[in-house]
Amino acid sequence: MITVKRAEYLSALTCAGVKDVRYYLNGIFFDPEGFIVATDGHRLFCGKATTEGESVIISVKAKPPTKFDYVVISTEGRSATFIDDKAQEVLISPIEIIDGRFPDWRRVSHFKPGKVKAIGIHMPYLADAAKCSKYFDKKANGVLEMQDSASATRFRLGQDAYMLIMPVRM
């Protein structure tokens, strides 16, 4: 069983690939060390999850309900159960387990803060970072960290969550 809080789940959905030819990017990856990771190759989300040592890429078939507190994913039962703050089941959705190898997200996530004069960012991705920050903090506050003009920019969204955005050439 895998358990993920609402903010982490919705943020991962925001960064996951959609109809990408690299099919393994069209899902959410659960790392055996307790991370939820999703990327479309241009941006990446990483947060905490309870994975109980499971390593799997999944795609939840239903849209998430408007109000839920966390989601419990059963890879054996191939289902995702959305639970509200009163411990009531809101929605049960089938999931697809994606057979593939998820990219080495730790290599990309290795971060060395630096000074940057200017960096090119695809602005809709910046809007996605703002949207994800609202899942963690209603005021949409976050911390922006840069390395250099050719490396990812990191947005700290919560204590244990962040989003990376790759720079664009200007």
Side-chain angles (χ1 to χ4, degrees):
M1 294 288 227
I2 297 169
T3 306
V4 185
K5 292 180 184 173
R6 179 181 188 272
E8 281 82 355
Y9 180 78
L10 293 175
S11 296
L13 280 182
T14 301
C15 292
V18 179
K19 297 181 181 176
D20 198 301
V21 294
R22 300 164 292 178
Y23 62 92
Y24 47 84
L25 297 183
N26 295 327
I28 298 171
F29 175 64
F30 292 96
D31 186 90
E33 294 180 21
F35 295 101
I36 176 175
V37 184
T39 184
D40 63 2
H42 301 282
R43 58 200 167 158
L44 177 142
F45 172 79
C46 178
K48 288 284 191 177
T50 305
T51 62
E52 297 179 1
E54 280 194 76
S55 176
V56 66
I57 306 170
I58 65 143
S59 174
V60 177
K61 294 302 170 188
K63 287 179 106 174
T66 317
K67 294 184 180 182
F68 71 98
D69 199 40
Y70 62 96
V71 59
V72 178
I73 297 162
S74 170
T75 53
E76 287 181 13
R78 298 202 180 226
S79 65
T81 306
F82 294 85
I83 311 289
D84 67 10
D85 58 354
K86 296 178 180 109
Q88 300 291 317
E89 291 180 359
V90 179
L91 173 71
I92 299 175
S93 169
I95 65 167
E96 174 189 355
I97 295 176
I98 299 172
D99 185 28
R101 185 170 180 205
F102 200 76
D104 183 6
W105 63 273
R106 284 183 174 85
R107 184 175 58 89
V108 178
S109 296
H110 184 68
F111 204 83
K112 296 178 189 170
K115 293 186 179 182
V116 177
K117 289 184 182 180
I119 190 167
I121 293 180
H122 186 61
M123 296 312 277
Y125 294 158
L126 197 56
D128 288 342
K131 181 170 117 179
C132 291
S133 70
K134 285 183 183 179
Y135 298 141
F136 291 89
D137 177 3
K138 296 292 182 200
K139 294 178 184 175
N141 294 326
V143 176
L144 172 65
E145 300 170 314
M146 295 183 194
Q147 302 181 82
D148 57 57
S149 61
S151 300
T153 300
R154 179 168 61 187
F155 297 89
R156 290 211 164 270
L157 302 172
Q159 186 175 351
D160 296 318
Y162 59 87
M163 182 176 172
L164 297 177
I165 297 179
M166 296 305 295
V168 296
R169 293 187 185 130
M170 301 301 280

